[in-house]
Amino acid sequence: MASIFGHSIVALTTGRILTKSNKKPGKIIYLLALLSAIIPDADVLAFKFGIPYEHMFGHRGITHSIFFALIWTLMLRRIFYPKSKATTEERRTVFWILLISTLSHGVLDAMTTGGMGIAFFAPWTADRYFLPWRVIQVSPIGVSNFFSEWGMKVIYSEALYVVLPSFVFLFLYRIIRKKS
């Protein structure tokens, strides 16, 4: 998996690009985007219940799927941005920020150098996939393992393949926004 830092950067970048101001759809969207970007890794709890990695409910299984991202997004939007309290435009913006943030988790994990792939199409199939560009060092599970030589390799690869592109997107976004 990519680290919590890499997933968070993508969520914050998505939120910044898709919101037109800091007031709409509200600052809570950034917290929800961060949560959405990291929640798929809650599936590591499956190990504690004896569910094997390769199972649909194992690590990088259904919680990394397109189906999960859609259900999660719709649930959060309904709870935090109901029709009675948010405009159609705000709800649309929230939908895309949360969906992209959640989907980005599986996409980043599919770019890592380890694991068994991502079950993008669960629950219809437990087949796992990687992207052709497996350039992000897989992050160790657990905080103690992260602060090691392995963790430093993860930080370096995420700086190059996640943080740098995110800054480029933000920079280009600002240039385009100033011109319009």
Side-chain angles (χ1 to χ4, degrees):
M1 71 181 133
S3 78
I4 191 170
F5 306 113
H7 292 302
S8 298
I9 290 292
V10 173
L12 292 174
T13 301
T14 301
R16 188 67 194 127
I17 289 174
L18 294 181
T19 55
K20 293 182 179 167
S21 74
N22 288 334
K23 293 181 180 177
K24 291 184 180 182
K27 292 186 181 196
I28 191 169
I29 190 61
Y30 291 104
L31 293 174
L32 294 174
L34 285 170
L35 176 63
S36 296
I38 61 174
I39 197 68
D41 274 341
D43 64 9
V44 296
L45 295 174
F47 292 132
K48 297 214 182 267
F49 297 105
I51 298 171
Y53 189 116
E54 65 275 2
H55 191 277
M56 188 178 301
F57 291 101
H59 186 49
R60 292 184 167 183
I62 196 162
T63 61
H64 287 60
S65 71
I66 297 166
F67 174 79
F68 175 83
L70 186 58
I71 298 301
W72 175 258
T73 296
L74 291 171
M75 180 188 72
L76 287 183
R77 187 180 72 171
R78 183 176 188 106
I79 293 168
F80 291 96
Y81 296 89
K83 286 182 182 179
S84 62
K85 294 184 179 180
T87 67
T88 300
E89 182 181 347
E90 288 170 335
R91 289 173 49 80
R92 188 178 306 121
T93 300
V94 165
F95 174 84
W96 286 112
I97 291 170
L98 297 179
L99 183 66
I100 292 168
S101 295
T102 310
L103 286 172
S104 72
H105 187 105
V107 171
L108 288 181
D109 281 3
M111 294 173 66
T112 62
T113 58
M116 301 174 93
I118 308 302
F120 284 118
F121 303 107
W124 296 279
T125 178
D127 292 346
R128 308 244 177 160
Y129 302 90
F130 281 107
L131 292 177
W133 318 279
R134 296 181 64 191
V135 293
I136 299 172
Q137 291 293 314
V138 68
S139 181
I141 297 175
V143 175
S144 61
N145 292 328
F146 191 79
F147 295 101
S148 65
E149 184 179 338
W150 181 3
M152 293 309 296
K153 288 179 182 179
V154 172
I155 290 170
Y156 175 77
S157 69
E158 287 185 357
L160 188 59
Y161 299 110
V162 180
V163 176
L164 182 60
S166 294
F167 284 143
V168 168
F169 279 118
L170 283 171
F171 178 73
L172 293 174
Y173 169 74
R174 285 183 182 217
I175 290 172
I176 292 167
R177 190 167 178 203
K178 283 182 181 180
K179 288 185 179 184
S180 57

